[in-house]
Structures are given as C-alpha cells and as structure tokens.
Amino acid sequence: MSSDVPLLPVGTIPPSAYSASPVRWYILCVASLLSLNQSATWFTFSSVNPNTIHDFFGARLNEDALGLLLNWGPILGVFSAPLQFWLSSRKNGLHLSIVLAAWLVFAGNVIRTVPLFLGATFRQNAFAFYLYQTGQILNAIAGPLVMGTVTQLSVLWFPESERVLATSVFQTSNGMGTAVGFLAGPVWFKGSISSLFVFGVVLGAIPAFCVCCYFPAKPTTAPNAAAAAADTTASKFQDSTTPRAPYFILVVSTGILTGVYYGWQGLLQEILSPAGVSEDSVGWIGFSNSLAANLSCILAGRMVDLFFARRLKTAIVVGYAVFLMSLCVFTFSLPCFLFDDPPFDMTNNVPGLVGLLFISGMSQGAISPLIYELAAELLYPVSEGLSGGILVLILNGACFATIFLKDYLDANVMNFAMTCFIFVVTLVVLLFVKETYRRPLG
C-alpha cells in the first residue's frame, strides 16, 4: 500500500459512505435565525432614542438602568458559559443547546413584552421594571448556547467542503442581529416601542416552534470524517495529545482584541466628531461597518472552503494585515494625542473615512469564522462546542471589561491603542500559533 494514503482514525467509515443531508440547510437557518434574534433582542433598548425610552417607560429606566439592560449580555455571557461547556460535552449537546436557547430567547421576549399591554401605570412600575430585566437576563443566558456552538453545528451537519461557510453563516447571524436591531427601532417601527417588542416575540416564536416540531439531534449519515469519528474519539480536555498552548494563544489574543474592537466601535462618535462628521452620519457609518463585516464573513467562508482549505492561519494573518493597514491610515488621518496635524489629513473627507471603516469592517468580519475553525482544529479531539465556548467566554469577558472601562478611555488614545493592538495580535498569531489540523479529512 502506498504511504501517501491517509489512515482513517479507528471507528471511522470510508469516505464514500459520507452523505450530507439536505436537512442541514434547515438546521442552519433555524439556528441562524435564533442567533440573529438573540442579538437583536439584546440590542432593543439601545435602538430607540433615550428620550423616547424615558417617556414610554418612565423615570425608572434612566441612563444607568439602560446601561444595565445592555450589559446583561456580556455579564451573563461570562457566568452562563459553564452551562454551555456542560451541554456541549453531553450526547446530542448541540440539540440541547439550541432547543434551550430558543425557549430562553422566546420566553425573554414574551416576559418583557407583556407589561406594555397592561397600561401606562403598570409598565412604569417597579414590578414591570423587574420583568424587563428578567427578559434581558434570559436572553443573555442564551448567548453562549448559540455563539459557542457554531463549529459544533458545522462539523456535525456539513461536509468538509462547506464547513467554513456554515460556520460563517451561523457566526455572522449574531452580528446581523445588531444591524437588524439598529434599523428596527428608528427606521422600521419609527420609534414605536410596542411594535418593536412584538416584533421580537414573533421573530423568537419561529425558532421555538421549529425546535418543537422538527429539529433532529444529528443526521442519519455522517457528512464528514470528523463527524463519523465523534462517537469513537475521546473528547477529554485533559487529553495529553491535544496542543493546548497554540489554542490558548489564539483564543486569548484574538478574543481580547475583539473585546477592544467592540469598545472602539462605541467611541466612533467621539473619534469622528472632530472630523466634522454629523451624529446621524456616524450612526450610518457604524451600521455600514457592521454590515461590511457580516457580508465579508459569509464571503470569506466560501472562499476559504474553495481556496484556503487547511490554510486558515494564512487567511487569518492576511485578514489582520488588511485590518491593520486600514486602521493605521484611519488613525493617522485624524487628530491624535501624538500630533495636532494628522499626516494624512482626512478631517473633511467623509467618503474617505467611510471607505477606511468599510475596509476594516470587511477584514474583521472575514477573520472571525476562521478563528472559530482554527480553534476547533487546534483543540481536537475536544468537542467543537467546548473549543468555541471558551472563545466566546473570552470574548464576553473582554467585552465586559471594555464596557466597564469605556467611560475612562479617551477616544484618541483608544483609536491609537486599537491600531497598536491589532499589530501585536497579528505578530502573535504569525509567530506563536502553530497551525495543525487534527480533524480527519473527508
């Protein structure tokens, strides 16, 4: 026998027996819609003008209360991560996670919507206030159950030639939820808070209904070698053969960077105001930045499947290099604490600034699913649910820390720090993350 023939892990079946079920697209759509609604629900209170919120809900929903409603996402994302770890290690863990998340999101939307139809006096009292908080908390608990299972779904249901695409679609749906939330409040429902909340209930009812009617735990036939080997390969974190150091270098560095990135996005208003960009324009620039990230995420997933299979590190480093160059030019185009006159003065060139942020959004979005996939490869045979869950835990922790420190960060310093941090993480991934692919081919 030729030495070039790859050996299959014990317990796998011949590649000719692998078959991808058409049901995989239904599973991906349900999970993606759930993820989108979970993110949109989290963003609801931030999508409406604070004055409108105050008039509708009363004085109890002041600035601090609104901040808490928004912050439940990263706070509960950290504390509910162990639940996601535990579920992912159990038989049919993906199924359990998605079903539980669907009902948590739906219940959260219902609980926070009921007070709106019981009169102005009730919706502004203390009990209603606790119902709003409870709804946001239930939705926040669902976050890791959805975001931590992206690679688990792709490996269980999709052939290797579509795996990164599936990860990209599922992963980017959460970001699309924020974009939907941004448009739903001020554009689609014109500040009608009741209509906005009912929209969340209706959107949440769809995946809840689907998981009750038909949502199989796994396909009848394995779509790839990794899925076929899942039941026969040990999935223990203590496995001495698992290269844990490269994995943790990857997820810690990129996870913290993502948290800093979210904080940097929140300071765009302060960063761009000195350049003469209006408040409304900054809002749409931020939306365009997010939309570019979401679209490029899906496009990158397909391109990697076709041209960069098992070369994820190369694609990640290239993506970070483009991200770094666009942010570097952006930083040196605006006033900074290092200089009064920017080297590439674009203070009056709004289209140029939009273009730079569009490029940065595209590059950041393209990188995200590749990190999930490489993390799954590095930690195999540990469950993809655990490898993705740890990454989500770090993302939420970094996001929470950045939100907490946001009021103490100067916009100009943050802009420069963001650029420097991308440079450091690019070097760390390039020099210290050893690329290994342990999941079986096929």
Side-chain angles (χ1 to χ4, degrees), residues 12-359:
T12 59
I13 55 181
S16 59
Y18 301 143
S19 176
S21 168
V23 177
R24 69 189 186 278
W25 299 111
Y26 165 79
I27 297 294
L28 180 61
C29 286
V30 172
S32 297
L33 180 60
L34 168 62
S35 183
L36 184 150
N37 192 37
Q38 192 275 330
S39 179
T41 298
W42 169 72
F43 192 69
T44 300
F45 286 94
S46 300
S47 67
V48 181
N49 186 288
N51 292 329
T52 305
I53 290 284
H54 186 273
D55 292 341
F56 188 81
F57 290 103
R60 294 182 188 276
L61 277 186
N62 54 28
E63 185 177 349
D64 291 338
L66 285 172
L68 180 59
L69 287 168
L70 182 64
N71 290 343
W72 279 129
I75 293 172
L76 269 298
V78 172
F79 289 102
S80 64
L83 173 63
Q84 190 270 324
F85 296 164
W86 179 72
L87 286 175
S88 68
S89 66
R90 296 178 62 82
K91 184 178 180 180
N92 299 329
L94 172 68
H95 178 79
L96 295 171
S97 296
I98 297 298
V99 170
L100 178 58
W103 282 105
L104 284 171
V105 173
F106 178 60
N109 273 283
V110 171
I111 288 172
R112 70 179 195 162
T113 302
V114 169
L116 306 188
F117 297 94
L118 299 179
T121 301
F122 184 85
R123 73 167 180 257
Q124 295 181 7
N125 68 22
F127 181 68
F129 174 80
Y130 289 119
L131 290 179
Y132 306 140
Q133 297 285 358
T134 300
Q136 291 295 101
I137 288 172
L138 293 178
N139 183 73
I141 293 173
L145 300 178
V146 177
M147 296 172 65
T149 57
V150 291
T151 47
Q152 194 173 19
L153 183 145
S154 62
V155 76
L156 182 63
W157 281 95
F158 285 81
E160 186 170 347
S161 60
E162 299 172 349
R163 202 154 60 195
V164 181
L165 174 63
T167 296
S168 300
V169 172
F170 191 10
Q171 194 272 332
T172 198
S173 62
N174 204 263
M176 282 299 294
T178 302
V180 168
F182 176 83
L183 291 177
V187 179
W188 295 347
F189 300 110
K190 305 296 184 182
S192 174
I193 296 176
S194 297
S195 299
L196 181 61
F197 275 58
V198 170
F199 172 71
V201 173
V202 174
L203 201 61
I206 298 174
F209 176 78
C210 289
V211 298
C212 281
C213 294
Y214 181 67
F215 196 80
K218 60 182 180 180
T220 54
T221 305
N224 57 68
D231 292 332
T232 58
T233 303
S235 183
K236 297 180 179 178
F237 189 74
Q238 295 83 1
D239 185 351
S240 60
T241 65
T242 302
R244 290 186 293 270
Y247 168 80
F248 280 112
I249 292 172
L250 176 71
V251 298
V252 170
S253 60
T254 59
I256 294 176
L257 174 58
T258 303
V260 175
Y261 177 74
Y262 290 154
W264 172 79
Q265 282 183 314
L267 291 171
L268 279 179
Q269 194 72 248
E270 298 174 47
I271 292 171
L272 291 172
S273 291
V277 182
S278 68
E279 182 178 347
D280 290 343
S281 296
V282 173
W284 282 105
I285 288 172
F287 169 74
S288 300
N289 179 265
S290 298
L291 183 62
N294 293 325
L295 294 177
S296 68
C297 181
I298 298 173
L299 178 61
R302 190 55 184 153
M303 295 296 290
V304 168
D305 279 331
L306 293 174
F307 305 112
F308 287 90
R310 302 214 162 205
R311 288 189 291 167
L312 295 173
K313 178 178 173 179
T314 300
I316 291 171
V317 171
V318 170
Y320 272 135
V322 176
F323 193 15
L324 174 62
M325 287 188 290
S326 63
L327 259 295
C328 187
V329 175
F330 179 81
T331 298
F332 287 96
S333 299
L334 298 171
C336 179
F337 70 99
L338 293 176
F339 41 74
D340 294 327
D341 298 320
F344 312 116
D345 192 349
M346 298 180 68
T347 52
N348 296 313
N349 186 356
V350 175
L353 295 174
V354 171
L356 290 172
L357 289 182
F358 188 85
I359 294 172

